[in-house]
Amino acid sequence: MANQRMQAYYDVLHRTPKPIGFDGKISEIFGESVFHMGVMQEYLPSEAYKSMKRVVQDGTQLDRKMADQVASAMKDWAITKGATHYTHWFQPLTGSTAEKHDAFFKPTGPGRAIERFDGDLLVQQEPDASSFPNGGIRNTFEARGYTAWDPSSPAFVIDKTLCIPTIFIAYTGEALDYKMPLLKALHAINEATVDVCQYFDKNVKKTTATLGWEQEYFLVDKALFNARPDLMMTGRALFGHASAKGQQLDDHYFGSITARVTAFMREFETEAIRLGIPVTTRHNEVAPNQFECAPIFEECNLANDHNLLLMDILEKVARKHDFRVLLHEKPFAGVNGSGKHNNWSLSTDTGVNLLAPGKNPKSNLQFLTFFVNTIKAIHDNADLLRAAIAGAGNDHRLGANEAPPAIISAFIGSQLTDLLDKIEKNVKAGKMTPEDKTELKLNIGKIPQILLDNTDRNRTSPFAFTGNKFEFRAVGSSANCSSAMIVLNTIMAKQLKDFKVNVDARIKKGDGKDEAILKELQKLIKESKKIRFEGNGYGEEWVKEAKKRGLSNLKDTPRALQVWGDKKVAKLFNDMNVLSPIELEARQEIEFENYVYKIQIEARVIGEMAQNFIVPAAVNYQNKLIENVRGLTEILGAKAGKEAAKGQIDIISRISKHLNQMKEIGDKMLIARKAANQIEDMEKKAIAYCDTVRIHFDEIRYNVDKLELLIDDEEWRLPKFREMLFTR
Ligand code: ADP
Ligand code: MG
């Protein structure tokens, strides 16, 4: 083969779909690798089972004796599933999951051993994971970090290992992970929601935040992936000219799925189903070789664990099928990037979805209460939501005409807009007349019928109401949903708490309950109006309009992250008991650092690839042309030869031009990087990387991509977009 790229391409052309191992009924394997309540009932003595039920349902503590029994049952069950090891499975701030495996096996004497796993090992461990980011909370000299069992998310067996979902905390108690603050935020939202629910139904004792994520990803053949150092190192193609055909024909979206991809999907879905992840939806996405997978929504903490698990399974199964999965937000310039819509709602233990418009006036008022409060929470904390989705990868999507802009706004549809407008105008100061009430109630009563015809969609909004839930669309495909869910649930908890206080005050002053609620809602509708936007979020006009309205447009990660430093934000998270000021500061530091490293790695890879792949290819081809020109002038004489070689000479000089420009800007970037590396302060360093290093990427790429078009296909060693995106 002429080169690495062509060898890779040849390999791809000869692939066939892998056989699918499982051929039975999905319903029979659902959750079979999970230590769920059903299994516990079978494996635990009844007293222990009852305590576990209380732990899972009400969040009570499990005593040590019970923990021993649960551990022993868990181990017995896991061994029947082939497990030999166990691990605490946690979510450090690196963004992925972590595990450290230990064997059940324990030697008891010469040639003798038992399988051991007790309550202590289940409940708490000290993995000494001192290399995870901690933002300065944990001094590495006292590198003790603990993992502690989260019984609300069931243990599961994967690859012969029993995995126990845990939180990860410093020895001083601060969270070093995503799970602990999420659990705290969920606790806060539960309390606040239950309190507000009492206005409508005294039977509500517990509420749940629900999350339904939609995971987008790309598939690339592993041979092509391995021939691209940029994909391997950074998850995205740093160079590469767009292929002649991209997504303009829309022929991939919802198109039929090829046999090789289907085989891959069926296998990972089977794995997911075994692990209790209720995946139901699969389809081709907009960009070529882009796909989506979505489950039925679940309780937020569990749904998030399931998403992390799914990302893991995707990677593992993809390798088996000779694919690599790309979870990066923007692997390929010129076609759509990947997101992870977070569908979110609140439901009660009485079986009510609080964001579903009800059938009668009472449930409609309840719906409106939660609906309007959500909008107000978004309005008051738009910058925080923006910070929650910030990351080097997502910067390529937001505001790039394919994903919602970096401006946070909420879309609610025309019927609800009308309704809110009416309430805003109609609720009179002072007491409402009976006519007012009926009119309003009638209006509200009309919502369900109208909304059932739920065609009112706006794909360009970052935060859209979609009939019975909100859809936060700006979350990045590689993100841990916790970042977004911690913020959303915390700000909503705060908003509902304030709402309760204000409504109670109105009632105390003599308003009837409904009246007090409506008047408070009217106030919130007025105050939050500017966050509502029904138009095209991709348009230039919106950027101008948003500016007029005073909405932020934080275009890059470092600017978005600055909001974590606000005193108001620290107070909010502290008041809601979700993150202490120290934890918040540490998180911000880690995210700045993360950004710096990502851009630094990209800059290095750009430098190496330019030097080791692009320059040699360009020079080789240029030499071929030079040889040709020299030959022509030799045969035809200087003048006629040059005339005959006009085309070649033009290419020679264009190659030189682009090579020189590439080199010149590359040198500038190197100097900027060295300067940025001298900066100690992480925030300043992140800004320097953003403003002085990253700004050169596009121009370097422009020249490289021009060279790709100029140079002999056989000299080009990097798989091209047409190969990576269209072969499968
Ligand atoms: P789409 O957004 O593609 O039109 P759907 O409206 O069917 O698709 O739902 C998308 C996602 O929303 C699914 O993952 C689904 O589980 C989730 N979802 C539906 N209802 C809720 C809810 N009450 N809470 C959270 N997620 C929900
Ligand atoms: Mg969706």
Side-chain angles (χ1 to χ4, degrees):
M1 269 315 133
N3 68 33
Q4 196 180 357
R5 162 175 154 251
M6 293 191 160
Q7 176 64 51
Y9 192 55
Y10 180 84
D11 289 350
V12 179
L13 292 181
H14 289 81
R15 296 222 200 280
T16 47
K18 295 265 181 228
I20 308 155
F22 177 74
D23 203 15
K25 250 185 161 170
I26 289 289
S27 58
E28 278 163 16
I29 57 166
F30 183 65
E32 74 172 20
S33 305
V34 183
F35 192 64
H36 51 68
M37 288 314 292
V39 185
M40 282 189 227
Q41 190 162 21
E42 190 184 324
Y43 275 78
L44 283 173
S46 88
E47 197 192 341
Y49 170 70
K50 277 188 205 135
S51 344
M52 257 319 275
K53 218 167 143 188
R54 276 197 299 276
V55 169
V56 173
Q57 281 172 3
D58 316 329
T60 54
Q61 287 238 320
L62 191 71
D63 69 45
R64 264 323 213 286
K65 202 180 106 226
M66 291 298 167
D68 275 337
Q69 292 189 10
V70 175
S72 162
M74 220 185 242
K75 179 203 70 192
D76 291 346
W77 167 81
I79 288 172
T80 69
K81 296 283 161 197
T84 55
H85 287 64
Y86 65 90
T87 180
H88 276 196
W89 183 77
F90 58 105
Q91 304 169 22
L93 294 166
T94 52
S96 45
T97 55
E99 34 196 273
K100 176 185 168 228
H101 297 193
D102 287 296
F104 287 128
F105 166 88
K106 185 179 175 234
T108 52
R112 272 180 298 146
I114 53 163
E115 312 278 357
R116 192 192 72 118
F117 184 61
D118 58 26
D120 286 347
L121 296 175
L122 166 65
V123 172
Q124 187 176 316
Q125 275 188 38
E126 195 182 324
D128 185 28
S130 45
S131 295
F132 286 116
N134 62 71
I137 283 181
R138 210 162 38 131
N139 180 328
T140 34
F141 296 106
E142 310 169 80
R144 270 178 300 162
Y146 292 108
T147 51
W149 182 32
D150 165 22
S152 64
S153 180
F156 53 90
V157 169
I158 188 170
D159 294 338
K160 294 185 180 299
T161 303
L162 169 68
C163 297
I164 299 149
T166 55
I167 55 167
F168 181 42
I169 50 176
Y171 74 106
T172 39
E174 283 92 4
L176 296 170
D177 71 347
Y178 284 107
K179 193 188 246 292
M180 170 124 142
L182 178 63
L183 289 172
K184 288 180 163 180
L186 292 173
H187 182 77
I189 186 104
N190 172 45
E191 275 188 351
T193 308
V194 168
D195 276 356
V196 171
C197 278
Q198 302 309 303
Y199 290 134
F200 309 101
D201 183 356
K202 298 260 187 262
N203 294 316
V204 174
K205 297 281 178 285
K206 197 188 164 205
T207 60
T208 309
T210 50
L211 166 64
W213 42 264
E214 303 166 56
Q215 179 73 53
E216 292 182 337
Y217 60 93
F218 278 85
L219 286 178
V220 177
D221 188 274
K222 74 164 186 206
L224 299 169
F225 176 93
N226 288 332
R228 294 277 320 206
D230 46 359
L231 285 186
M232 288 176 77
M233 297 291 121
T234 71
R236 77 176 180 107
L238 297 169
F239 302 138
H241 200 283
S243 45
K245 175 176 186 282
Q247 63 190 41
Q248 63 273 63
L249 298 177
D250 276 332
D251 50 356
H252 189 257
Y253 190 50
F254 282 28
S256 76
I257 304 175
T258 62
R260 229 186 120 199
V261 174
T262 306
F264 154 75
M265 285 181 171
R266 288 199 49 187
E267 185 166 350
F268 91 69
E269 284 168 0
T270 308
E271 283 292 302
I273 292 286
R274 286 201 163 100
L275 288 160
I277 310 172
V279 286
T280 48
T281 307
R282 61 160 95 121
H283 63 76
N284 285 354
E285 259 303 329
V286 174
N289 268 4
Q290 190 189 26
F291 306 93
E292 182 185 293
C293 160
I296 294 167
F297 68 94
E298 299 175 285
E299 184 277 323
C300 190
N301 175 41
L302 182 63
N304 188 47
D305 281 2
H306 279 168
N307 178 244
L308 290 164
L309 200 50
L310 183 103
M311 291 198 281
D312 221 40
I313 302 169
L314 278 179
E315 303 235 11
K316 281 182 188 154
V317 176
R319 282 172 196 248
K320 274 209 222 164
H321 288 255
D322 298 323
F323 283 122
R324 291 299 297 263
V325 62
L326 304 179
L327 293 169
H328 193 284
E329 282 75 15
K330 189 75 180 178
F332 302 105
V335 295
N336 273 12
S338 301
K340 176 150 54 195
H341 295 177
N342 277 203
N343 297 276
W344 171 89
S345 189
L346 296 167
S347 67
T348 68
D349 55 355
T350 53
V352 174
N353 175 357
L354 294 168
L355 287 172
K359 290 197 174 57
N360 55 49
K362 188 184 95 176
S363 52
N364 275 322
L365 190 57
Q366 175 175 291
F367 159 72
L368 268 179
T369 294
F370 287 94
F371 178 75
V372 171
N373 273 291
T374 310
I375 296 186
K376 174 71 161 115
I378 303 308
H379 170 271
D380 289 1
N381 301 283
D383 287 355
L384 252 184
L385 274 178
R386 170 67 185 94
I389 49 155
N394 222 8
D395 280 358
H396 297 280
R397 277 176 80 229
L398 302 177
N401 255 20
E402 59 168 79
I407 307 161
I408 299 289
S409 66
F411 168 88
I412 62 171
S414 53
Q415 290 92 341
L416 282 166
T417 301
D418 278 356
L419 185 71
L420 296 201
D421 288 349
K422 271 195 192 115
I423 297 174
E424 185 185 340
K425 287 185 203 101
N426 285 357
V427 182
K428 308 225 166 47
K431 287 224 179 228
M432 278 190 291
T433 64
E435 291 81 66
D436 285 339
K437 276 193 195 174
T438 21
E439 201 202 347
L440 209 55
K441 280 180 181 173
L442 277 179
N443 276 333
I444 299 164
K446 276 185 194 152
I447 309 166
Q449 289 109 32
I450 304 168
L451 272 186
L452 283 180
D453 173 29
N454 185 24
T455 46
D456 209 358
R457 292 261 170 145
N458 181 340
R459 301 227 150 253
T460 66
S461 172
F463 199 87
F465 183 68
T466 51
N468 57 1
K469 62 192 180 286
F470 278 96
E471 186 169 343
F472 190 18
R473 301 209 177 103
V475 182
S477 51
S478 69
N480 182 321
C481 304
S482 286
S483 294
M485 287 297 117
I486 291 167
V487 168
L488 186 54
N489 287 300
T490 304
I491 61 177
M492 187 62 176
K494 162 86 171 110
Q495 176 55 39
L496 289 173
K497 276 196 170 159
D498 291 351
F499 178 77
K500 177 87 170 55
V501 169
N502 294 337
V503 170
D504 284 352
R506 285 181 194 272
I507 293 173
K508 221 174 181 177
K509 278 195 198 142
D511 277 350
K513 189 182 72 189
D514 286 2
E515 227 169 313
I517 291 173
L518 271 170
K519 281 187 197 158
E520 184 63 21
L521 290 179
Q522 183 189 38
K523 183 175 138 253
L524 298 183
I525 290 169
K526 273 188 194 144
E527 288 171 358
S528 62
K529 207 170 176 182
K530 75 168 196 274
I531 203 74
R532 276 160 44 200
F533 178 63
E534 302 290 302
N536 176 14
Y538 295 175
E540 254 321 295
E541 306 82 64
W542 172 225
V543 177
K544 284 188 210 133
E545 163 73 16
K547 196 166 175 191
K548 245 196 258 160
R549 292 190 191 184
L551 299 176
S552 313
N553 185 2
L554 302 166
K555 283 198 178 116
D556 57 61
T557 294
R559 266 68 180 199
L561 293 178
Q562 283 175 325
V563 67
W564 290 119
D566 275 8
K567 288 223 162 63
K568 253 173 49 201
V569 170
K571 184 169 164 16
L572 165 71
F573 279 92
N574 202 46
D575 288 353
M576 293 294 107
N577 191 28
V578 173
L579 287 165
S580 71
I582 294 175
E583 289 172 321
L584 207 58
E585 202 183 307
R587 245 150 243 266
Q588 188 193 32
E589 178 88 358
I590 289 166
E591 295 223 33
F592 278 132
E593 199 175 66
N594 227 323
Y595 181 82
V596 166
Y597 288 149
K598 286 205 168 138
I599 302 297
Q600 189 177 56
I601 292 168
E602 289 191 346
R604 285 178 181 155
V605 176
I606 287 174
E608 279 172 26
M609 284 173 71
Q611 199 65 35
N612 303 341
F613 284 76
I614 312 304
V615 172
V619 170
N620 281 347
Y621 182 52
Q622 204 178 35
N623 281 342
K624 253 195 220 172
L625 294 171
I626 290 169
E627 196 55 34
N628 176 265
V629 175
R630 200 180 283 135
L632 285 172
T633 46
E634 232 172 72
I635 303 168
L636 303 173
K639 196 158 171 260
K642 266 195 182 157
E643 185 58 28
K646 243 164 67 189
Q648 294 88 309
I649 293 171
D650 178 49
I651 299 173
I652 291 169
S653 60
R654 273 156 67 195
I655 290 177
S656 287
K657 185 183 101 186
H658 290 302
L659 262 191
N660 287 333
Q661 279 175 5
M662 180 189 89
K663 172 86 171 55
E664 207 176 291
I665 307 155
D667 288 346
K668 270 195 214 160
M669 182 177 80
L670 189 69
I671 293 168
R673 211 167 85 214
K674 287 200 164 136
N677 287 342
Q678 297 305 312
I679 302 172
E680 288 273 328
D681 180 88
M682 259 314 153
E683 177 173 341
K684 292 200 180 106
K685 197 172 188 161
I687 289 174
Y689 260 95
C690 179
D691 294 357
T692 68
V693 178
R694 191 195 63 150
I695 49 154
H696 297 303
F697 289 5
D698 281 351
E699 215 180 331
I700 296 176
R701 178 179 193 146
Y702 170 79
N703 287 291
V704 172
D705 292 355
K706 285 282 177 206
L707 287 168
E708 182 186 322
L709 289 187
L710 284 171
I711 289 167
D712 180 2
D713 194 57
E714 284 200 23
E715 289 288 352
W716 201 259
R717 283 154 63 204
L718 298 168
K720 297 186 173 180
F721 274 31
R722 64 165 183 261
E723 293 152 352
M724 293 189 286
L725 289 172
F726 289 95
T727 47
R728 37 186 147 120

mmCIF file of all heavy atoms in Angstrom, residues 314-339:
data_model
loop_
_atom_site.group_PDB
_atom_site.id
_atom_site.type_symbol
_atom_site.label_atom_id
_atom_site.label_comp_id
_atom_site.label_asym_id
_atom_site.label_seq_id
_atom_site.Cartn_x
_atom_site.Cartn_y
_atom_site.Cartn_z
ATOM 1 N N LEU A 314 -20.669 2.113 25.041
ATOM 2 C CA LEU A 314 -20.526 2.509 23.632
ATOM 3 C C LEU A 314 -19.088 2.312 23.182
ATOM 4 O O LEU A 314 -18.822 1.741 22.131
ATOM 5 C CB LEU A 314 -20.886 3.990 23.459
ATOM 6 C CG LEU A 314 -22.351 4.388 23.330
ATOM 7 C CD1 LEU A 314 -22.462 5.897 23.192
ATOM 8 C CD2 LEU A 314 -22.990 3.727 22.126
ATOM 9 N N GLU A 315 -18.154 2.794 24.003
ATOM 10 C CA GLU A 315 -16.741 2.704 23.628
ATOM 11 C C GLU A 315 -16.288 1.255 23.533
ATOM 12 O O GLU A 315 -15.593 0.863 22.600
ATOM 13 C CB GLU A 315 -15.873 3.425 24.670
ATOM 14 C CG GLU A 315 -16.269 4.874 24.851
ATOM 15 C CD GLU A 315 -15.114 5.830 24.652
ATOM 16 O OE1 GLU A 315 -14.061 5.370 24.177
ATOM 17 O OE2 GLU A 315 -15.279 7.021 24.960
ATOM 18 N N LYS A 316 -16.671 0.467 24.532
ATOM 19 C CA LYS A 316 -16.220 -0.926 24.560
ATOM 20 C C LYS A 316 -16.767 -1.714 23.382
ATOM 21 O O LYS A 316 -16.043 -2.423 22.699
ATOM 22 C CB LYS A 316 -16.663 -1.592 25.868
ATOM 23 C CG LYS A 316 -15.773 -1.223 27.035
ATOM 24 C CD LYS A 316 -16.202 -1.947 28.301
ATOM 25 C CE LYS A 316 -15.418 -1.419 29.503
ATOM 26 N NZ LYS A 316 -16.127 -1.576 30.760
ATOM 27 N N VAL A 317 -18.067 -1.584 23.156
ATOM 28 C CA VAL A 317 -18.698 -2.372 22.089
ATOM 29 C C VAL A 317 -18.228 -1.879 20.716
ATOM 30 O O VAL A 317 -18.015 -2.679 19.808
ATOM 31 C CB VAL A 317 -20.231 -2.342 22.227
ATOM 32 C CG1 VAL A 317 -20.892 -3.071 21.074
ATOM 33 C CG2 VAL A 317 -20.655 -2.961 23.553
ATOM 34 N N ALA A 318 -18.017 -0.585 20.586
ATOM 35 C CA ALA A 318 -17.546 -0.054 19.302
ATOM 36 C C ALA A 318 -16.232 -0.729 18.905
ATOM 37 O O ALA A 318 -16.043 -1.124 17.762
ATOM 38 C CB ALA A 318 -17.364 1.454 19.396
ATOM 39 N N ARG A 319 -15.336 -0.883 19.864
ATOM 40 C CA ARG A 319 -14.047 -1.511 19.556
ATOM 41 C C ARG A 319 -14.232 -2.927 19.032
ATOM 42 O O ARG A 319 -13.528 -3.371 18.126
ATOM 43 C CB ARG A 319 -13.160 -1.548 20.791
ATOM 44 C CG ARG A 319 -12.515 -0.207 21.077
ATOM 45 C CD ARG A 319 -11.811 -0.257 22.421
ATOM 46 N NE ARG A 319 -11.524 1.071 22.892
ATOM 47 C CZ ARG A 319 -10.283 1.562 22.997
ATOM 48 N NH1 ARG A 319 -9.258 0.820 22.674
ATOM 49 N NH2 ARG A 319 -10.105 2.788 23.429
ATOM 50 N N LYS A 320 -15.176 -3.641 19.632
ATOM 51 C CA LYS A 320 -15.425 -5.016 19.178
ATOM 52 C C LYS A 320 -15.859 -5.052 17.728
ATOM 53 O O LYS A 320 -15.633 -6.020 17.028
ATOM 54 C CB LYS A 320 -16.545 -5.637 20.027
ATOM 55 C CG LYS A 320 -16.094 -6.270 21.296
ATOM 56 C CD LYS A 320 -17.066 -7.405 21.628
ATOM 57 C CE LYS A 320 -17.401 -7.409 23.099
ATOM 58 N NZ LYS A 320 -18.582 -8.210 23.397
ATOM 59 N N HIS A 321 -16.551 -3.998 17.324
ATOM 60 C CA HIS A 321 -17.072 -3.968 15.958
ATOM 61 C C HIS A 321 -16.143 -3.193 15.025
ATOM 62 O O HIS A 321 -16.571 -2.744 13.958
ATOM 63 C CB HIS A 321 -18.479 -3.370 15.955
ATOM 64 C CG HIS A 321 -19.499 -4.299 16.553
ATOM 65 N ND1 HIS A 321 -20.398 -5.007 15.802
ATOM 66 C CD2 HIS A 321 -19.711 -4.662 17.838
ATOM 67 C CE1 HIS A 321 -21.143 -5.770 16.597
ATOM 68 N NE2 HIS A 321 -20.750 -5.563 17.840
ATOM 69 N N ASP A 322 -14.906 -3.012 15.443
ATOM 70 C CA ASP A 322 -13.899 -2.299 14.652
ATOM 71 C C ASP A 322 -14.277 -0.845 14.374
ATOM 72 O O ASP A 322 -13.869 -0.260 13.372
ATOM 73 C CB ASP A 322 -13.613 -3.028 13.321
ATOM 74 C CG ASP A 322 -13.057 -4.419 13.559
ATOM 75 O OD1 ASP A 322 -12.281 -4.586 14.516
ATOM 76 O OD2 ASP A 322 -13.415 -5.338 12.796
ATOM 77 N N PHE A 323 -15.076 -0.297 15.274
ATOM 78 C CA PHE A 323 -15.370 1.133 15.198
ATOM 79 C C PHE A 323 -14.695 1.826 16.366
ATOM 80 O O PHE A 323 -14.326 1.193 17.350
ATOM 81 C CB PHE A 323 -16.872 1.387 15.369
ATOM 82 C CG PHE A 323 -17.717 1.094 14.172
ATOM 83 C CD1 PHE A 323 -18.757 0.173 14.253
ATOM 84 C CD2 PHE A 323 -17.510 1.765 12.972
ATOM 85 C CE1 PHE A 323 -19.567 -0.089 13.152
ATOM 86 C CE2 PHE A 323 -18.328 1.504 11.876
ATOM 87 C CZ PHE A 323 -19.348 0.573 11.969
ATOM 88 N N ARG A 324 -14.589 3.142 16.270
ATOM 89 C CA ARG A 324 -14.325 3.941 17.461
ATOM 90 C C ARG A 324 -15.463 4.941 17.554
ATOM 91 O O ARG A 324 -15.938 5.458 16.545
ATOM 92 C CB ARG A 324 -12.974 4.651 17.353
ATOM 93 C CG ARG A 324 -11.803 3.683 17.424
ATOM 94 C CD ARG A 324 -11.742 2.901 18.732
ATOM 95 N NE ARG A 324 -11.541 3.761 19.884
ATOM 96 C CZ ARG A 324 -10.339 3.985 20.423
ATOM 97 N NH1 ARG A 324 -9.262 3.417 19.933
ATOM 98 N NH2 ARG A 324 -10.227 4.785 21.458
ATOM 99 N N VAL A 325 -15.895 5.164 18.797
ATOM 100 C CA VAL A 325 -16.995 6.096 18.966
ATOM 101 C C VAL A 325 -16.412 7.448 19.355
ATOM 102 O O VAL A 325 -15.459 7.522 20.125
ATOM 103 C CB VAL A 325 -18.006 5.560 20.007
ATOM 104 C CG1 VAL A 325 -17.385 5.406 21.362
ATOM 105 C CG2 VAL A 325 -19.221 6.454 20.112
ATOM 106 N N LEU A 326 -16.945 8.497 18.764
ATOM 107 C CA LEU A 326 -16.478 9.844 19.095
ATOM 108 C C LEU A 326 -17.582 10.551 19.875
ATOM 109 O O LEU A 326 -18.665 10.786 19.351
ATOM 110 C CB LEU A 326 -16.150 10.637 17.832
ATOM 111 C CG LEU A 326 -15.134 10.014 16.872
ATOM 112 C CD1 LEU A 326 -14.937 10.908 15.656
ATOM 113 C CD2 LEU A 326 -13.785 9.799 17.570
ATOM 114 N N LEU A 327 -17.283 10.862 21.119
ATOM 115 C CA LEU A 327 -18.269 11.560 21.949
ATOM 116 C C LEU A 327 -17.998 13.063 21.986
ATOM 117 O O LEU A 327 -18.714 13.818 22.616
ATOM 118 C CB LEU A 327 -18.257 10.992 23.370
ATOM 119 C CG LEU A 327 -18.757 9.545 23.488
ATOM 120 C CD1 LEU A 327 -18.462 8.980 24.862
ATOM 121 C CD2 LEU A 327 -20.245 9.454 23.189
ATOM 122 N N HIS A 328 -16.939 13.477 21.302
ATOM 123 C CA HIS A 328 -16.582 14.898 21.272
ATOM 124 C C HIS A 328 -17.721 15.729 20.683
ATOM 125 O O HIS A 328 -18.459 15.257 19.826
ATOM 126 C CB HIS A 328 -15.314 15.075 20.438
ATOM 127 C CG HIS A 328 -14.683 16.429 20.576
ATOM 128 N ND1 HIS A 328 -15.204 17.550 19.960
ATOM 129 C CD2 HIS A 328 -13.612 16.842 21.270
ATOM 130 C CE1 HIS A 328 -14.444 18.602 20.268
ATOM 131 N NE2 HIS A 328 -13.480 18.196 21.071
ATOM 132 N N GLU A 329 -17.825 16.987 21.153
ATOM 133 C CA GLU A 329 -18.914 17.846 20.698
ATOM 134 C C GLU A 329 -18.769 18.258 19.232
ATOM 135 O O GLU A 329 -19.750 18.607 18.589
ATOM 136 C CB GLU A 329 -18.997 19.118 21.560
ATOM 137 C CG GLU A 329 -19.655 18.926 22.918
ATOM 138 C CD GLU A 329 -18.770 18.203 23.923
ATOM 139 O OE1 GLU A 329 -17.551 18.091 23.674
ATOM 140 O OE2 GLU A 329 -19.293 17.730 24.960
ATOM 141 N N LYS A 330 -17.557 18.262 18.736
ATOM 142 C CA LYS A 330 -17.397 18.719 17.348
ATOM 143 C C LYS A 330 -16.219 18.002 16.702
ATOM 144 O O LYS A 330 -15.165 18.592 16.481
ATOM 145 C CB LYS A 330 -17.166 20.235 17.360
ATOM 146 C CG LYS A 330 -17.195 20.888 16.002
ATOM 147 C CD LYS A 330 -18.582 21.016 15.463
ATOM 148 C CE LYS A 330 -18.551 21.679 14.100
ATOM 149 N NZ LYS A 330 -19.906 21.766 13.516
ATOM 150 N N PRO A 331 -16.398 16.735 16.360
ATOM 151 C CA PRO A 331 -15.271 16.003 15.776
ATOM 152 C C PRO A 331 -14.914 16.488 14.378
ATOM 153 O O PRO A 331 -13.755 16.468 14.000
ATOM 154 C CB PRO A 331 -15.760 14.553 15.714
ATOM 155 C CG PRO A 331 -17.031 14.505 16.460
ATOM 156 C CD PRO A 331 -17.573 15.888 16.552
ATOM 157 N N PHE A 332 -15.910 16.930 13.610
ATOM 158 C CA PHE A 332 -15.660 17.281 12.214
ATOM 159 C C PHE A 332 -16.221 18.651 11.890
ATOM 160 O O PHE A 332 -17.442 18.849 11.917
ATOM 161 C CB PHE A 332 -16.312 16.245 11.287
ATOM 162 C CG PHE A 332 -15.834 14.845 11.536
ATOM 163 C CD1 PHE A 332 -16.647 13.923 12.189
ATOM 164 C CD2 PHE A 332 -14.559 14.455 11.136
ATOM 165 C CE1 PHE A 332 -16.202 12.635 12.431
ATOM 166 C CE2 PHE A 332 -14.112 13.167 11.378
ATOM 167 C CZ PHE A 332 -14.924 12.252 12.031
ATOM 168 N N ALA A 333 -15.343 19.595 11.555
ATOM 169 C CA ALA A 333 -15.811 20.923 11.159
ATOM 170 C C ALA A 333 -16.627 20.783 9.890
ATOM 171 O O ALA A 333 -16.361 19.921 9.065
ATOM 172 C CB ALA A 333 -14.613 21.833 10.920
ATOM 173 N N GLY A 334 -17.643 21.613 9.771
ATOM 174 C CA GLY A 334 -18.407 21.621 8.521
ATOM 175 C C GLY A 334 -19.653 20.756 8.551
ATOM 176 O O GLY A 334 -20.546 20.933 7.740
ATOM 177 N N VAL A 335 -19.709 19.794 9.453
ATOM 178 C CA VAL A 335 -20.975 19.074 9.653
ATOM 179 C C VAL A 335 -21.379 19.256 11.111
ATOM 180 O O VAL A 335 -20.574 19.704 11.941
ATOM 181 C CB VAL A 335 -20.885 17.561 9.299
ATOM 182 C CG1 VAL A 335 -20.622 17.367 7.819
ATOM 183 C CG2 VAL A 335 -19.831 16.858 10.137
ATOM 184 N N ASN A 336 -22.603 18.879 11.434
ATOM 185 C CA ASN A 336 -23.105 19.090 12.795
ATOM 186 C C ASN A 336 -22.233 18.429 13.867
ATOM 187 O O ASN A 336 -21.647 17.386 13.626
ATOM 188 C CB ASN A 336 -24.509 18.515 12.915
ATOM 189 C CG ASN A 336 -25.562 19.516 12.486
ATOM 190 O OD1 ASN A 336 -25.225 20.553 11.888
ATOM 191 N ND2 ASN A 336 -26.808 19.239 12.794
ATOM 192 N N GLY A 337 -22.239 19.044 15.010
ATOM 193 C CA GLY A 337 -21.578 18.441 16.157
ATOM 194 C C GLY A 337 -22.573 17.638 16.975
ATOM 195 O O GLY A 337 -23.727 17.465 16.569
ATOM 196 N N SER A 338 -22.130 17.157 18.131
ATOM 197 C CA SER A 338 -22.996 16.300 18.939
ATOM 198 C C SER A 338 -23.347 16.945 20.266
ATOM 199 O O SER A 338 -22.511 17.542 20.927
ATOM 200 C CB SER A 338 -22.299 14.968 19.227
ATOM 201 O OG SER A 338 -21.978 14.311 18.033
ATOM 202 N N GLY A 339 -24.596 16.775 20.630
ATOM 203 C CA GLY A 339 -25.055 17.280 21.919
ATOM 204 C C GLY A 339 -25.670 16.161 22.726
ATOM 205 O O GLY A 339 -25.650 14.993 22.320
#
